Amino acid sequence: MGDERDMSVWDVVVVGAGPAGASAAYAAAVAGRRVLLLEKAELPRYKTCGGGIIGPSRDCLPPGFDLPFKDRINAVTFSLNGKYARTRRSRSMLFGLINRPEFDAQLVEHAQKAGAELRTGVTVTRVEQHGSAVPDRRTVAVVLQDGETVLARAVVGADGSASRIGAHVGVKMDQVDLGLEAEIPVPETVAEDWRGRVLIDWGPIPGSYGWVFPKGDTLTVGVISARGEGAATKKYLEDFIARLGLAGFEPAISSGHLTRCRADDSPLSRGRVLVCGDAAGLLEPWTREGISFALRSGRLAGEWAVRVAESHDAVDARRQALNYAFAIKAGLGVEMAVGKRMLGVFERKPGLLHAALTSVRPAWNAFARITRGSSSLGELVRTHPMAGRALSRFER
C-alpha cells in the first residue's frame, strides 16, 4: 500500500453539513486552509426543527449572509397546558423563523464560497488516529462507507445527535429529549391570525412544552419532553393540535427527533478530532435550542481545527484541543449550566414560570433580551444579582 502515502492530505475534514459543520468549514476555509465538508444526505434536506433564529445565531453568521426569514416575530402568546393564555408584544423583532433546508443550504454555500469543498451522499463509518490507514502521527484517517479513506490533519465531527465521531471522541450524554413536530399547511385566513406571533405552551409532562411557529402558509407545531414518555408526548401533541383548532388540516410532514445534552465532564476532543453542535451534545437544556449552539460551537471548532492542523506533535495538538474545550465551556458551558438550573425550576413549577413571564415585566424583558441576543441566560444571572437570587429561591 505504498502509494497511499502520496494521497493528498486535507488540512481540515468536517463531517456533517448542518449549521455546526457548515460554520466549522466556513471558519477553517476563511483562514485559508484546504477544507473538505462531507455530508451523507443530498442537500437541501429536511430537518425536524422549529427553525427559530435568535440573536446569538444572527451574530454568528458569515458576513453578507441574507437570512431567508419566513416570518419575523414580535409577539409571544404563553399558555399553561392550554389555559391562562396571555400575549406579550415587543416593539422590535424578537427573533426570526426560517425553514431549515434553505437555511442549511445557504450556510453550506457560504462555506463553499470561502473555499471549502463539499461532497454529498458520503457516509463516514469511522475515524482512525492510529494503525495502518494512518501514515504518520500528524494525520487522521476518515474511513467512508465505500472503503475510501480521506486523510486530514484535523477532523471536526458535526454529524448530529447520533454522531459516529461523537462515539469516537467518547461524548457522554446526560439529558435526552424527544421532540415531535408537524408541518401543517393552513389557509390564508388561519395564517393571517398567526403572522408575527408564536405560541409557547408549558406542557402537562414535567419539563415539556409545545410551540407554534408560523412560516407563511405553514405552521410548524411541535412538542418536546424527556425521552421515555413517548406515548404521553404523542398525546400531548395530538391534544395541542386539537386545542388550537388545527386537527382538520393534514400535516405535510410529521417527524420526530431525539435531542441529546452533554454531561458536564463529557470530552470535546480526542487527539486531532474535535466535536461541535449536536454531535458534542451542545444545546440549551431548558428550551433545547440548538441552532445558536451549533453555529457558535461550529465556528470555534473550525478556528481551533486550523490550529490543531498546524500542530507538529501530539502534545501541541492536545494543547489546542484543550483550548477549544476551554472556549466552549467559558461561553456555551456557562449558558448550559444556567439552562439546566432553569429546567429544574420549570419541571417543578411551570405555573410560577408562566406567571413570571406573563405578569412580571423584568421577566418578560429578560426573555426579550435573550431572544434578541442582547443578553444571555448566563449573563443575566451573572450581572443581575436579583435574577440570580430569584433563581436560587425558586430552586429551593
Side-chain angles (χ1 to χ4, degrees):
M1 302 293 283
D3 58 334
E4 296 245 335
R5 311 277 148 137
D6 314 326
M7 281 166 53
S8 73
V9 181
W10 295 87
D11 291 320
V12 178
V13 169
V14 180
V15 183
S23 297
Y26 173 84
V30 157
R33 296 302 175 273
R34 290 186 62 238
V35 180
L36 177 64
L37 178 56
L38 303 174
E39 165 59 44
K40 69 170 188 280
E42 296 301 339
L43 299 176
R45 47 133 174 71
Y46 178 75
K47 196 85 183 78
T48 306
C49 175
I53 299 292
I54 58 174
S57 301
R58 288 201 301 276
D59 298 341
C60 217
L61 294 167
F65 191 97
D66 187 22
L67 272 161
F69 283 144
K70 293 290 166 207
D71 203 346
R72 288 172 160 76
I73 301 307
N74 56 19
V76 182
T77 300
F78 294 102
S79 60
L80 185 61
N81 198 16
K83 297 188 284 286
Y84 315 115
R86 177 141 188 232
T87 301
R88 311 273 337 221
R89 296 185 184 280
S90 157
R91 280 194 201 85
S92 54
M93 176 170 108
L94 293 165
F95 56 95
L97 298 177
I98 49 98
N99 280 333
R100 277 289 300 279
E102 263 177 277
F103 177 71
D104 290 13
Q106 206 171 306
L107 275 172
V108 168
E109 242 166 77
H110 275 264
Q112 288 175 287
K113 278 191 205 131
E117 188 172 310
L118 170 71
R119 283 179 61 185
T120 56
V122 178
T123 301
V124 171
T125 49
R126 63 185 192 280
V127 290
E128 290 179 16
Q129 304 199 60
H130 307 287
S132 57
V134 188
D136 59 52
R137 295 300 297 275
R138 281 191 64 206
T139 313
V140 182
V142 180
V143 184
L144 311 184
Q145 201 167 30
D146 62 6
E148 186 192 341
T149 297
V150 177
L151 299 180
R153 295 270 176 247
V155 171
V156 175
D159 48 339
S161 66
S163 168
R164 292 277 171 94
I165 313 293
H168 171 80
V169 166
V171 174
K172 293 199 297 246
M173 298 304 184
D174 187 19
Q175 172 190 333
V176 185
D177 294 291
L178 169 66
L180 299 176
E181 201 164 62
E183 302 277 346
I184 306 177
V186 292
E188 177 57 31
T189 47
V190 178
E192 193 50 52
D193 181 42
W194 285 97
R195 201 148 291 149
R197 175 175 70 96
V198 299
L199 168 67
I200 294 175
D201 177 69
W202 313 114
I205 309 158
S208 69
Y209 76 98
W211 61 89
V212 179
F213 283 2
K215 297 175 187 171
D217 54 6
T218 301
L219 298 177
T220 296
V221 183
V223 300
I224 194 160
S225 78
R227 181 177 69 171
E229 297 282 352
T233 307
K234 196 163 180 269
K235 183 175 180 340
Y236 175 27
L237 180 61
E238 283 163 11
D239 293 349
F240 187 43
I241 288 174
R243 255 198 331 251
L244 294 164
L246 299 171
F249 304 114
E250 188 59 37
I253 300 173
S254 293
S255 63
H257 179 65
L258 288 176
T259 65
R260 296 176 169 90
C261 238
R262 70 189 290 274
D264 269 345
D265 59 347
S266 180
L268 288 156
S269 69
R270 176 176 165 190
R272 292 178 173 266
V273 179
L274 310 178
V275 283
C276 59
D278 280 347
L282 292 166
L283 71 156
E284 201 279 289
W286 174 36
T287 59
R288 290 80 156 188
E289 191 278 320
I291 297 179
S292 80
F293 279 70
L295 293 169
R296 291 181 284 176
S297 65
R299 168 173 283 196
L300 288 169
E303 289 168 359
W304 290 105
V306 166
R307 293 166 186 151
V308 169
E310 289 165 354
S311 303
H312 286 291
D313 56 42
V315 175
D316 196 22
R318 179 171 166 73
R319 188 183 305 124
Q320 302 302 349
L322 287 172
N323 284 337
Y324 165 65
F326 182 76
I328 291 286
K329 286 172 188 169
L332 300 177
V334 171
E335 280 175 50
M336 289 180 75
V338 179
K340 205 177 168 113
R341 291 174 65 193
M342 287 294 294
L343 177 66
V345 171
F346 171 56
E347 283 173 339
R348 292 198 310 277
K349 305 174 178 162
L352 192 75
L353 196 86
H354 180 69
L357 281 167
T358 53
S359 38
V360 179
R361 182 160 277 286
W364 162 250
N365 288 343
F367 176 89
R369 281 210 300 281
I370 290 166
T371 57
R372 281 200 205 102
S374 57
S375 189
S376 68
L377 269 177
E379 206 172 309
L380 274 170
V381 171
R382 210 170 44 240
T383 56
H384 293 8
M386 235 179 75
R389 279 202 298 274
L391 183 53
S392 300
R393 197 154 56 239
F394 289 156
E395 285 175 312
R396 284 202 297 278

